[in-house]
Amino acid sequence: MLGIIKRDLIILFSNKRERFFLIFYIPFLLFIVESYDSKFMYFVILVAYTYLLSITPFAYDISGRTRYIMSSLPISRKEVVFYKYLSTFFYFAITIVYAGIYLWIINALKIKSVDYFNVEMIIKAIPIVMIFTSIVFPAYFRFEPKIAQIVHMVVFITFFIGATNMSVVGEKSFVKYLGFLQGKNIVFLAIGMYIVSLLLSMKLYENRDL
Amino acid sequence: MDYVLEVNSLRKEFKNFTLDNISFKLEPGYIMGFIGPNGAGKSTTIKLIMNLIKKNGGEIKVFGKDHIKYEKEIKDRIGFVYDENYYYEDLTIKQMKDIVASFYSKWDEHQFNYYIHEFDLNPKAKIKTLSKGMKMKFSLAVALSHHADLIIMDEPTSGLDPVFRREILDILYNVIQDDSKSIFFSTHITTDLEKIADYITFINEGKVVFSKPKDEVLENYALVKGGTDLLDRETRKEFIGLRETKVGFEGLTDNLDNVKRIFGDKVLIEKATLEDIMVYSVRR
């Protein structure tokens, strides 16, 4: 697991574009997504940031030619998949710390009033991240980069449309109408989807010609 | 006997190409040259050995163990060098080494630093700034720094100038002084193997033509030169491949006794090189 995370972090921090994204994505989200509720902004940042942290270095590997190197190293394909799914939680933890510090500074400087730590939103964010990654990961493990990118874009845009809908309309939003962010059902749904997705990705990746 | 590498009846089907019934064995401490023209199936075979693509049939054993069942354990003991650079181009040599090293149980930092120094590589240099030869040296440094028992190389000298090629071969020559290491080396530049290989496996159009000790191969084949008036329907059968010009013919045979009996001293007989064997076998 450490090898996989080490690789992901080295890739993220070595690329100028990714470094730029890491630094400016939070302020970008803050000023793009206007919300009636400061805690909702925190939720959007947690989900978007964790999701992108999980997908970006992974996309380099599964889509690019580097997959030959990584697949020639002493690690089984099942382990690659398993650690990838496990690392989402690690990135979620990183996001809580990083976004927390970043948003605290923004608050302290009185640039914008936004939550920098909110347990309720953390609990609501993790199932959403799990649902999104459980849809996108199998696509990266099985399909060619172009198809996987389309799945990724569809999921990410859906999230933004949903988030914008909620942030603007609030309690009357379509997302609320679906009950998407409420109750324990979402947690069970997320856990179920994540496990099924993990097993599916293992099966797909194990039988794939690289 | 436990072979370092044992491939039996390997089969892989693609839309326009089939790798069929590939079998060969490599003993510990030897170098096997895996030769064949472009598109013969060399890289496909190597990808199958490394489990990068899935076989449709047959068996691959590395260190006497199934290459999928014991994949992790096996890959820990394999050093690999591919024909192209598949490393992350944006990373420096040191960053890439840090990633790779964390996966090997016997990574030897001292050994890696020795090779980096020996190959004149700058650890701070980004991989995308390296020449093809330097990238190949970096791949070799990685492959040789975790006490691998088997080095698998796919066309490591392809696209390199003669100076770099010689350097790479010299490095390999030093590596094989250690009797415990085995090398499986695919190439279409057969001259690279004349010096260093112990065994030659020749593959063409997805099938193994032969897999034999190099000396036996070079003894078995001969190049025959003579006038075209000596060729007729019957005598042509003595040749694996023929090249005819206005001034005469040149042909490859693996039945020298027959050729001597038929042509006597009307032909000139020369030792065949691996390149002759490959070229004439493909031309057949």
Side-chain angles (χ1 to χ4, degrees):
Chain A
M1 165 119 172
L2 282 179
I4 298 272
I5 287 176
K6 189 175 183 179
R7 178 208 55 190
D8 284 3
L9 293 178
I10 290 176
I11 292 169
L12 271 175
F13 286 104
S14 66
N15 187 304
K16 270 184 196 165
R17 197 185 62 199
E18 309 307 348
R19 274 205 304 266
F20 185 83
F21 150 74
L22 282 172
I23 296 165
F24 293 105
Y25 201 61
I26 288 178
F28 170 77
L29 282 174
L30 278 177
F31 294 105
I32 287 292
V33 183
E34 279 294 329
S35 177
Y36 68 98
D37 192 343
S38 67
K39 70 180 180 188
F40 186 70
M41 267 318 302
Y42 180 66
F43 167 82
V44 171
I45 287 168
L46 283 186
V47 174
Y49 217 74
T50 309
Y51 174 78
L52 288 172
L53 272 180
S54 302
I55 292 292
T56 308
F58 173 52
Y60 268 82
D61 224 27
I62 303 297
S63 317
R65 301 186 310 167
T66 52
R67 62 181 187 254
Y68 287 127
I69 295 293
M70 295 313 293
S71 300
S72 300
L73 295 173
I75 181 165
S76 70
R77 292 197 191 187
K78 265 187 181 167
E79 282 177 311
V80 169
V81 176
F82 181 72
Y83 292 142
K84 189 66 222 172
Y85 276 72
L86 207 59
S87 68
T88 303
F89 301 102
F90 173 77
Y91 292 124
F92 190 69
I94 286 185
T95 302
I96 290 170
V97 175
Y98 180 70
I101 296 168
Y102 211 121
L103 296 172
W104 180 82
I105 293 169
I106 285 173
N107 265 305
L109 295 175
K110 295 189 173 150
I111 298 170
K112 194 159 186 168
S113 172
V114 60
D115 276 14
Y116 53 87
F117 186 77
N118 185 315
V119 178
E120 184 199 350
M121 287 300 116
I122 289 172
I123 292 167
K124 281 188 173 174
I126 188 70
I128 303 299
V129 171
M130 286 166 74
I131 288 169
F132 289 158
T133 48
S134 65
I135 296 167
V136 178
F137 280 172
Y140 274 105
F141 277 119
R142 179 61 187 94
F143 298 118
E144 288 307 307
K146 276 183 186 172
I147 298 170
Q149 290 286 354
I150 291 169
V151 177
H152 159 57
M153 289 312 292
V154 167
V155 167
F156 202 56
I157 289 166
T158 306
F159 166 68
F160 260 97
I161 292 170
T164 312
N165 177 249
M166 263 202 80
S167 62
V168 176
V169 190
E171 289 300 316
K172 290 175 186 170
S173 73
F174 182 64
V175 179
K176 279 272 179 183
Y177 175 74
L178 288 176
F180 201 57
L181 283 170
Q182 292 159 350
K184 283 180 185 168
N185 289 346
I186 187 80
V187 177
F188 292 130
L189 176 72
I191 292 170
M193 277 183 75
Y194 212 60
I195 292 169
V196 171
S197 172
L198 168 69
L199 298 174
L200 180 68
S201 291
M202 277 182 174
K203 189 82 185 158
L204 293 173
Y205 195 50
E206 257 201 317
N207 295 313
R208 182 184 171 183
D209 280 352
L210 298 178
Chain B
M1 178 188 187
D2 266 0
Y3 294 97
V4 168
L5 178 61
E6 194 178 350
V7 174
N8 293 315
S9 310
L10 183 63
R11 185 177 173 84
K12 174 70 183 175
E13 292 158 19
F14 295 102
K15 231 178 191 176
N16 304 314
F17 175 75
T18 301
L19 195 72
D20 191 22
N21 200 23
I22 302 292
S23 299
F24 56 84
K25 290 165 183 170
L26 174 61
E27 291 170 34
Y30 289 96
I31 294 190
M32 178 177 278
F34 192 46
I35 64 170
N38 289 331
K42 301 187 297 295
S43 293
T44 302
T45 307
I46 286 179
K47 282 178 184 169
L48 285 164
I49 294 169
M50 295 301 290
N51 195 26
L52 301 178
I53 54 175
K54 299 289 162 183
K55 59 182 185 272
N56 294 112
E59 178 189 54
I60 299 170
K61 283 184 176 178
V62 187
F63 310 119
K65 292 174 176 174
D66 183 85
H67 78 134
I68 294 176
K69 209 171 171 188
Y70 296 92
E71 183 175 12
K72 200 173 160 183
E73 183 188 324
I74 284 169
K75 285 182 176 173
D76 200 27
R77 296 172 63 192
I78 293 180
F80 58 86
V81 177
Y82 294 137
D83 56 340
E84 280 181 59
N85 173 52
Y86 296 124
Y87 289 116
Y88 301 100
E89 294 269 330
D90 279 332
L91 302 190
T92 64
I93 283 178
K94 188 188 173 304
Q95 285 172 324
M96 194 65 229
K97 181 270 298 176
D98 285 343
I99 290 176
V100 172
S102 60
F103 287 91
Y104 288 107
S105 65
K106 291 183 194 163
W107 181 262
D108 188 336
E109 194 67 23
H110 178 73
Q111 186 92 317
F112 180 77
N113 289 334
Y114 164 78
Y115 281 118
I116 286 293
H117 180 73
E118 192 73 9
F119 299 166
D120 206 17
L121 291 165
N122 175 9
K124 289 176 185 168
K126 284 202 171 187
I127 291 170
K128 65 182 171 191
T129 65
L130 303 178
S131 67
K132 177 153 191 193
M134 297 300 260
K135 283 175 184 169
M136 207 46 84
K137 283 182 173 178
F138 171 58
S139 292
L140 257 179
V142 171
L144 299 173
S145 297
H146 56 93
H147 301 284
D149 297 310
L150 171 63
I151 314 284
I152 292 181
M153 297 192 289
D154 187 9
E155 306 263 9
T157 53
S158 162
L160 297 183
D161 66 46
V163 178
F164 260 120
R165 262 178 56 207
R166 179 57 66 88
E167 264 190 88
I168 300 280
L169 292 173
D170 285 346
I171 293 160
L172 292 180
Y173 201 71
N174 285 331
V175 170
I176 54 163
Q177 303 310 313
D178 178 352
D179 284 347
S180 66
K181 297 210 186 301
S182 309
I183 298 177
F184 184 71
F185 180 162
S186 95
T187 184
H188 63 272
I189 308 169
T190 50
T191 47
D192 290 348
L193 298 171
E194 306 258 347
K195 268 189 177 179
I196 60 168
D198 302 299
Y199 289 88
I200 301 291
T201 296
F202 176 27
I203 182 175
N204 187 33
E205 292 176 344
K207 291 183 175 65
V208 169
V209 180
F210 60 74
S211 184
K212 292 176 181 171
K214 182 188 74 185
D215 295 340
E216 194 182 310
V217 171
L218 294 175
E219 275 169 25
N220 279 357
Y221 290 87
L223 207 58
V224 183
K225 292 175 180 175
T228 45
D229 55 312
L230 296 170
L231 296 174
D232 58 34
R233 188 189 274 186
E234 282 307 305
T235 56
R236 280 173 192 274
K237 288 179 183 168
E238 299 302 323
F239 298 101
I240 290 165
L242 267 174
R243 185 171 69 91
E244 290 174 68
T245 61
K246 282 177 188 171
V247 290
F249 78 88
E250 200 176 271
L252 182 80
T253 183
D254 61 352
N255 197 341
L256 198 53
D257 291 341
N258 252 7
V259 167
K260 278 179 182 171
R261 191 175 47 77
I262 294 167
F263 298 112
D265 56 2
K266 290 177 194 162
V267 290
L268 189 68
I269 295 170
E270 290 177 0
K271 269 191 155 186
T273 62
L274 288 173
E275 185 171 319
D276 294 328
I277 296 166
M278 188 168 91
V279 168
Y280 283 101
S281 300
V282 171
R283 186 175 281 178
R284 190 201 299 244

